[in-house]
Amino acid sequence: MAKDGPQGAWILAAALIFMNGLLGFFSSRSRRLERLLEGCPVLIGRDSQWFPDVLSRHRLSLADAEKALREADCALRDLKLAILETDGSISIVKK
């Protein structure tokens, strides 16, 4: 069995780039496909309370949520909304 060498790597890279472009093209024309591929924002806390079942469903620890509060310079008692964004970041809205 011969090794493919760099040619195989280039073919694989081109195939991945092509597939990425194809998925981007179709997801820009279909909201259903875009939602399937990208996901949607999720409410993980409101009115100074976390939703532990939602945090665990999305594999977030309480430490991750508290870190987002610290980065937003917000105390838990001042939390109005906490949203897990589609890119994995957490947005905090203060009261």
Side-chain angles (χ1 to χ4, degrees), residues 14-32:
L16 289 173
I17 291 170
F18 175 75
M19 291 297 294
N20 186 38
L22 196 62
L23 286 174
F25 175 78
F26 285 119
S27 67
S28 70
R29 284 157 177 70
S30 168
R31 287 189 186 259
R32 178 180 278 177

Side-chain angles (χ1 to χ4, degrees), residues 1-63:
M1 183 156 100
K3 292 187 178 183
D4 289 331
Q7 296 85 9
W10 282 108
I11 291 171
L12 181 61
L16 289 173
I17 291 170
F18 175 75
M19 291 297 294
N20 186 38
L22 196 62
L23 286 174
F25 175 78
F26 285 119
S27 67
S28 70
R29 284 157 177 70
S30 168
R31 287 189 186 259
R32 178 180 278 177
L33 183 61
E34 179 183 19
R35 189 170 185 184
L36 177 70
L37 294 175
E38 299 291 329
C40 58
V42 176
L43 187 65
I44 59 172
R46 179 181 1 181
D47 297 328
S48 304
Q49 293 186 355
W50 298 112
F51 303 147
D53 55 330
V54 177
L55 288 171
S56 64
R57 186 178 330 130
H58 293 280
R59 295 183 181 99
L60 283 174
S61 67
L62 190 56

